[in-house]
Amino acid sequence: MPVTSRAVGLAAGVLLDAAFGDPRRGHPVAGFGSVAGRLERALYRDDRARGVAYTALCVAGTVGLGLGLRRAVAGRPLAGAVVTAGCTWAVLGGTTLRREARLIAAPLVAGDLPAARAALPRLVGRDPARLDDKGIARAVVESVAENTSDAVVAPLFWGAVAGVPGLLGYRAINTLDAMVGHHSARYENFGRASARLDDAANWLPARLTGLLTVAAAPVVGGDPARAWAVLRRDGGSHPSPNAGRCEASAAGALDVRLGGRNVYAGRTEDRPTLGDGPPPGPTDIDRANRLSATVGLAAAALAVAVAAARTASRPRTVRRKAHR
């Protein structure tokens, strides 16, 4: 598939996500999750080797589907652009991320804490019953910051680098991490491979997200120098090798303090604080959304530019008539 089709398809997919967000039914990622769930039930054992095999099968199958789609549209630029656009739309989640954040922010701003608690599990895995308004606001701001990388920047990065196989492969890796890559008695061993592969796939995108967030700080009244200082100082203190870069840069750009105690189902984590400002309040969720949207637009522009530049740098093949 010509890289020109890749650039056009990436841009069109971003526009589709902005216009429609995720479909409420029949989402391809949900379909992948269903298949991966059935395979997990067939392969599961509390064993790292089984986890490696499970991850390899799921990711290889998805990348293979991407390679097949690319081969099917080879030499047809319009078809290539359409397939890339559809796959980009399927794997992006920025519009839905911000919509879910707004659905939590609205009752918070109105002072309806029970409604905000009821909406929180759609976005965050923490125990909402233990959170006050500031705790919910912090959870949402942190989720928006981290998922700006996972749901927007990283898919576009891998789409620009590897086209349709990169888009689908990345989303498979990230979905597996959400399904089995977390700390729990069931997945501590089985999910390790998925978690480590997700860390590797997000290493560069997370750092790109941090840099873009620093540059976008003025959009929310922030200071890029302060955001950069917080990113450098606090980005590596988070237990995740990637989420800390996204959250620290957002904390600096928004001039808020993130991190602290998180309570999940039966488990408590005490995380280092990120940033120097006050804890975020309900109105900071809208600011985090604006920051996320700006970073997403910048990432889309970069992805399209990279794909287009690869076209310009690719040597042209000169066909010669065969001598008979």
Side-chain angles (χ1 to χ4, degrees), residues 112-128:
D112 189 349
L113 187 58
R117 283 174 172 162
L120 187 67
R122 292 175 59 88
L123 187 63
V124 181
R126 299 172 201 178
D127 182 358

PDB file of all heavy atoms in Angstrom, residues 112-128:
ATOM      1  N   ASP A 112     -23.471  16.751  42.636  1.00  0.00           N
ATOM      2  CA  ASP A 112     -24.157  15.464  42.767  1.00  0.00           C
ATOM      3  C   ASP A 112     -23.110  14.353  42.856  1.00  0.00           C
ATOM      4  O   ASP A 112     -22.793  13.676  41.874  1.00  0.00           O
ATOM      5  CB  ASP A 112     -25.079  15.251  41.563  1.00  0.00           C
ATOM      6  CG  ASP A 112     -25.989  14.038  41.734  1.00  0.00           C
ATOM      7  OD1 ASP A 112     -25.772  13.253  42.675  1.00  0.00           O
ATOM      8  OD2 ASP A 112     -26.912  13.884  40.912  1.00  0.00           O
ATOM      9  N   LEU A 113     -22.561  14.159  44.051  1.00  0.00           N
ATOM     10  CA  LEU A 113     -21.492  13.177  44.237  1.00  0.00           C
ATOM     11  C   LEU A 113     -21.946  11.743  43.955  1.00  0.00           C
ATOM     12  O   LEU A 113     -21.199  10.985  43.317  1.00  0.00           O
ATOM     13  CB  LEU A 113     -20.924  13.300  45.650  1.00  0.00           C
ATOM     14  CG  LEU A 113     -19.683  12.468  45.979  1.00  0.00           C
ATOM     15  CD1 LEU A 113     -18.541  12.797  45.040  1.00  0.00           C
ATOM     16  CD2 LEU A 113     -19.266  12.687  47.432  1.00  0.00           C
ATOM     17  N   PRO A 114     -23.139  11.309  44.378  1.00  0.00           N
ATOM     18  CA  PRO A 114     -23.566   9.933  44.061  1.00  0.00           C
ATOM     19  C   PRO A 114     -23.609   9.656  42.555  1.00  0.00           C
ATOM     20  O   PRO A 114     -23.219   8.574  42.106  1.00  0.00           O
ATOM     21  CB  PRO A 114     -24.957   9.841  44.689  1.00  0.00           C
ATOM     22  CG  PRO A 114     -24.926  10.822  45.814  1.00  0.00           C
ATOM     23  CD  PRO A 114     -24.096  11.961  45.297  1.00  0.00           C
ATOM     24  N   ALA A 115     -24.073  10.624  41.758  1.00  0.00           N
ATOM     25  CA  ALA A 115     -24.117  10.416  40.306  1.00  0.00           C
ATOM     26  C   ALA A 115     -22.720  10.326  39.728  1.00  0.00           C
ATOM     27  O   ALA A 115     -22.459   9.527  38.817  1.00  0.00           O
ATOM     28  CB  ALA A 115     -24.903  11.549  39.648  1.00  0.00           C
ATOM     29  N   ALA A 116     -21.795  11.148  40.230  1.00  0.00           N
ATOM     30  CA  ALA A 116     -20.417  11.085  39.754  1.00  0.00           C
ATOM     31  C   ALA A 116     -19.781   9.750  40.110  1.00  0.00           C
ATOM     32  O   ALA A 116     -19.064   9.150  39.292  1.00  0.00           O
ATOM     33  CB  ALA A 116     -19.607  12.242  40.352  1.00  0.00           C
ATOM     34  N   ARG A 117     -20.053   9.269  41.321  1.00  0.00           N
ATOM     35  CA  ARG A 117     -19.526   7.960  41.719  1.00  0.00           C
ATOM     36  C   ARG A 117     -20.083   6.849  40.832  1.00  0.00           C
ATOM     37  O   ARG A 117     -19.375   5.914  40.467  1.00  0.00           O
ATOM     38  CB  ARG A 117     -19.869   7.690  43.180  1.00  0.00           C
ATOM     39  CG  ARG A 117     -19.001   8.444  44.177  1.00  0.00           C
ATOM     40  CD  ARG A 117     -19.505   8.243  45.593  1.00  0.00           C
ATOM     41  NE  ARG A 117     -18.587   8.811  46.575  1.00  0.00           N
ATOM     42  CZ  ARG A 117     -18.914   9.085  47.832  1.00  0.00           C
ATOM     43  NH1 ARG A 117     -20.170   8.847  48.253  1.00  0.00           N
ATOM     44  NH2 ARG A 117     -18.024   9.585  48.667  1.00  0.00           N
ATOM     45  N   ALA A 118     -21.358   6.956  40.481  1.00  0.00           N
ATOM     46  CA  ALA A 118     -21.979   5.930  39.638  1.00  0.00           C
ATOM     47  C   ALA A 118     -21.376   5.909  38.239  1.00  0.00           C
ATOM     48  O   ALA A 118     -21.280   4.848  37.613  1.00  0.00           O
ATOM     49  CB  ALA A 118     -23.484   6.166  39.553  1.00  0.00           C
ATOM     50  N   ALA A 119     -20.955   7.072  37.740  1.00  0.00           N
ATOM     51  CA  ALA A 119     -20.390   7.148  36.386  1.00  0.00           C
ATOM     52  C   ALA A 119     -18.909   6.788  36.339  1.00  0.00           C
ATOM     53  O   ALA A 119     -18.391   6.431  35.275  1.00  0.00           O
ATOM     54  CB  ALA A 119     -20.584   8.562  35.837  1.00  0.00           C
ATOM     55  N   LEU A 120     -18.219   6.863  37.456  1.00  0.00           N
ATOM     56  CA  LEU A 120     -16.763   6.702  37.455  1.00  0.00           C
ATOM     57  C   LEU A 120     -16.274   5.358  36.933  1.00  0.00           C
ATOM     58  O   LEU A 120     -15.276   5.310  36.200  1.00  0.00           O
ATOM     59  CB  LEU A 120     -16.221   6.947  38.870  1.00  0.00           C
ATOM     60  CG  LEU A 120     -14.686   6.987  38.995  1.00  0.00           C
ATOM     61  CD1 LEU A 120     -14.134   8.202  38.261  1.00  0.00           C
ATOM     62  CD2 LEU A 120     -14.271   7.007  40.462  1.00  0.00           C
ATOM     63  N   PRO A 121     -16.901   4.211  37.262  1.00  0.00           N
ATOM     64  CA  PRO A 121     -16.351   2.931  36.807  1.00  0.00           C
ATOM     65  C   PRO A 121     -16.274   2.764  35.299  1.00  0.00           C
ATOM     66  O   PRO A 121     -15.570   1.869  34.812  1.00  0.00           O
ATOM     67  CB  PRO A 121     -17.318   1.906  37.429  1.00  0.00           C
ATOM     68  CG  PRO A 121     -17.873   2.595  38.628  1.00  0.00           C
ATOM     69  CD  PRO A 121     -18.018   4.028  38.207  1.00  0.00           C
ATOM     70  N   ARG A 122     -16.975   3.583  34.542  1.00  0.00           N
ATOM     71  CA  ARG A 122     -16.861   3.500  33.082  1.00  0.00           C
ATOM     72  C   ARG A 122     -15.497   3.974  32.595  1.00  0.00           C
ATOM     73  O   ARG A 122     -15.105   3.682  31.462  1.00  0.00           O
ATOM     74  CB  ARG A 122     -17.957   4.337  32.418  1.00  0.00           C
ATOM     75  CG  ARG A 122     -19.357   3.776  32.614  1.00  0.00           C
ATOM     76  CD  ARG A 122     -20.401   4.711  32.026  1.00  0.00           C
ATOM     77  NE  ARG A 122     -20.188   4.934  30.614  1.00  0.00           N
ATOM     78  CZ  ARG A 122     -20.683   4.176  29.630  1.00  0.00           C
ATOM     79  NH1 ARG A 122     -21.436   3.136  29.935  1.00  0.00           N
ATOM     80  NH2 ARG A 122     -20.448   4.466  28.372  1.00  0.00           N
ATOM     81  N   LEU A 123     -14.764   4.680  33.445  1.00  0.00           N
ATOM     82  CA  LEU A 123     -13.493   5.250  33.032  1.00  0.00           C
ATOM     83  C   LEU A 123     -12.331   4.802  33.908  1.00  0.00           C
ATOM     84  O   LEU A 123     -11.212   4.658  33.419  1.00  0.00           O
ATOM     85  CB  LEU A 123     -13.586   6.783  33.057  1.00  0.00           C
ATOM     86  CG  LEU A 123     -12.403   7.572  32.499  1.00  0.00           C
ATOM     87  CD1 LEU A 123     -12.235   7.277  31.008  1.00  0.00           C
ATOM     88  CD2 LEU A 123     -12.609   9.068  32.719  1.00  0.00           C
ATOM     89  N   VAL A 124     -12.581   4.571  35.198  1.00  0.00           N
ATOM     90  CA  VAL A 124     -11.514   4.330  36.161  1.00  0.00           C
ATOM     91  C   VAL A 124     -11.844   3.095  36.988  1.00  0.00           C
ATOM     92  O   VAL A 124     -13.009   2.867  37.327  1.00  0.00           O
ATOM     93  CB  VAL A 124     -11.343   5.555  37.101  1.00  0.00           C
ATOM     94  CG1 VAL A 124     -10.222   5.321  38.106  1.00  0.00           C
ATOM     95  CG2 VAL A 124     -11.067   6.806  36.288  1.00  0.00           C
ATOM     96  N   GLY A 125     -10.818   2.311  37.332  1.00  0.00           N
ATOM     97  CA  GLY A 125     -11.039   1.084  38.082  1.00  0.00           C
ATOM     98  C   GLY A 125     -10.998   1.242  39.583  1.00  0.00           C
ATOM     99  O   GLY A 125     -11.042   0.240  40.303  1.00  0.00           O
ATOM    100  N   ARG A 126     -10.917   2.460  40.104  1.00  0.00           N
ATOM    101  CA  ARG A 126     -10.835   2.652  41.555  1.00  0.00           C
ATOM    102  C   ARG A 126     -12.201   2.487  42.211  1.00  0.00           C
ATOM    103  O   ARG A 126     -13.239   2.609  41.569  1.00  0.00           O
ATOM    104  CB  ARG A 126     -10.262   4.042  41.864  1.00  0.00           C
ATOM    105  CG  ARG A 126      -8.867   4.218  41.303  1.00  0.00           C
ATOM    106  CD  ARG A 126      -8.352   5.636  41.434  1.00  0.00           C
ATOM    107  NE  ARG A 126      -7.280   5.844  40.464  1.00  0.00           N
ATOM    108  CZ  ARG A 126      -6.639   6.986  40.299  1.00  0.00           C
ATOM    109  NH1 ARG A 126      -6.958   8.038  41.037  1.00  0.00           N
ATOM    110  NH2 ARG A 126      -5.684   7.080  39.392  1.00  0.00           N
ATOM    111  N   ASP A 127     -12.168   2.255  43.515  1.00  0.00           N
ATOM    112  CA  ASP A 127     -13.396   2.089  44.283  1.00  0.00           C
ATOM    113  C   ASP A 127     -14.046   3.456  44.474  1.00  0.00           C
ATOM    114  O   ASP A 127     -13.553   4.279  45.255  1.00  0.00           O
ATOM    115  CB  ASP A 127     -13.070   1.462  45.632  1.00  0.00           C
ATOM    116  CG  ASP A 127     -14.305   1.199  46.478  1.00  0.00           C
ATOM    117  OD1 ASP A 127     -15.417   1.551  46.024  1.00  0.00           O
ATOM    118  OD2 ASP A 127     -14.160   0.660  47.584  1.00  0.00           O
ATOM    119  N   PRO A 128     -15.156   3.755  43.796  1.00  0.00           N
ATOM    120  CA  PRO A 128     -15.736   5.102  43.878  1.00  0.00           C
ATOM    121  C   PRO A 128     -16.315   5.427  45.244  1.00  0.00           C
ATOM    122  O   PRO A 128     -16.406   6.599  45.624  1.00  0.00           O
ATOM    123  CB  PRO A 128     -16.812   5.094  42.802  1.00  0.00           C
ATOM    124  CG  PRO A 128     -17.165   3.660  42.610  1.00  0.00           C
ATOM    125  CD  PRO A 128     -15.904   2.890  42.871  1.00  0.00           C
TER     126      PRO A 128
END
